[in-house]
Amino acid sequence: MSNSESLASASRSVRSASATSAAKRKPRKRRTQAERSDETQARVIEAAATVLRRKGYAGLRTDEVARVAKVSRGAQQYHFPTKDSLVLATAAHLLRGGLERGRSRVEAMRLAGEDAIEAIIQDSIDFFLGADFGVILDLVLAGSKDRALRDEIYGYTRASRMGVEETWTQVLCEQGVPRDKAEKIVWLTISIVRGFAVRALWQRDETLFRGLLDEWKLILAGHIKSLKGMKSR
């Protein structure tokens, strides 16, 4: 076979392979306008959360949010015309994420047969000693100068955190704890961790926090055992 024939044969093979590969590739589904809009909105909210964690409400600038989100100022302002509309959407997003993580932890605990009190503690630590609680607290403080903003933040926070508390209360009820006692156990446990979050503003001693929580678990273990004993009589 001559060189020209060899080249022609190789060329046909390449074209055939390319055609076969193209046939196997599925055409990419084009996103709808609504899907593109939702993606842009989500990117802006995530970018706002990033800036709020770094600089707080006072340092939030919408032009910086657009830059972090890698969208135009026009696109950012289309979805969130004002700073406060962006802040409220971001707060709702962060609180909704905390609620979803709490519910996911409940399901994981049920599947693994883990200790419910420890799961409540870990869920509370993740939220109250994490970066997002600092953002929410900062927004609440900022809302002291803006009643409408404050009331909206309070509303989102109340709906989210009460949803988490109700989920954990149901878990304890499933394990035989009377509902009125289960509510008190959940409220007290979450309140202890929330108190640590405030303490952490000037003394973040996680070893001390963990030791105190272990003491609380021992107290609760005896209390829950007695409650279940009384119920079985």
Side-chain angles (χ1 to χ4, degrees), residues 173-203:
C173 289
E174 290 169 4
Q175 296 185 356
V177 179
R179 182 170 180 88
D180 61 328
K181 301 298 184 182
E183 287 178 346
K184 291 176 182 177
I185 290 169
V186 169
W187 292 345
L188 282 168
T189 303
I190 291 175
S191 294
I192 289 170
V193 180
R194 186 166 52 237
F196 290 163
V198 176
R199 179 81 181 199
L201 294 174
W202 66 87
Q203 182 190 13

Side-chain angles (χ1 to χ4, degrees), residues 14 117 224:
V14 169
I117 299 301
I224 291 173

Side-chain angles (χ1 to χ4, degrees), residues 87-108:
V87 164
L88 289 172
T90 305
H93 168 70
L94 295 177
L95 289 164
R96 188 165 53 247
L99 176 58
E100 291 171 355
R101 287 190 296 274
R103 288 173 172 167
S104 295
R105 190 183 291 275
V106 168
E107 294 308 314

Side-chain angles (χ1 to χ4, degrees), residues 27-136:
R28 293 182 61 184
K29 181 182 178 182
R30 294 187 62 184
R31 292 177 302 161
T32 65
Q33 177 63 33
E35 289 172 334
R36 291 195 296 272
S37 179
D38 288 346
E39 181 187 358
T40 299
Q41 190 170 351
R43 286 168 59 186
V44 172
I45 289 174
E46 286 292 349
T50 297
V51 177
L52 283 167
R53 291 182 189 114
R54 290 201 311 247
K55 299 185 176 181
Y57 178 81
L60 181 71
R61 299 290 180 270
T62 55
D63 57 343
E64 182 178 3
V65 172
R67 186 167 63 254
V68 172
K70 297 182 180 179
V71 302
S72 68
R73 283 290 307 281
Q76 181 258 305
Q77 291 177 335
Y78 172 78
H79 290 287
F80 306 103
T82 66
K83 176 179 176 178
D84 283 354
S85 66
L86 175 57
V87 164
L88 289 172
T90 305
H93 168 70
L94 295 177
L95 289 164
R96 188 165 53 247
L99 176 58
E100 291 171 355
R101 287 190 296 274
R103 288 173 172 167
S104 295
R105 190 183 291 275
V106 168
E107 294 308 314
M109 180 218 68
R110 284 170 171 154
L111 289 172
E114 296 173 348
D115 175 44
I117 299 301
E118 179 61 26
I120 295 170
I121 287 173
Q122 285 301 324
D123 185 56
S124 300
I125 288 173
D126 288 349
F127 181 76
F128 290 109
L129 292 175
D132 291 348
F133 179 66
V135 171
I136 299 301

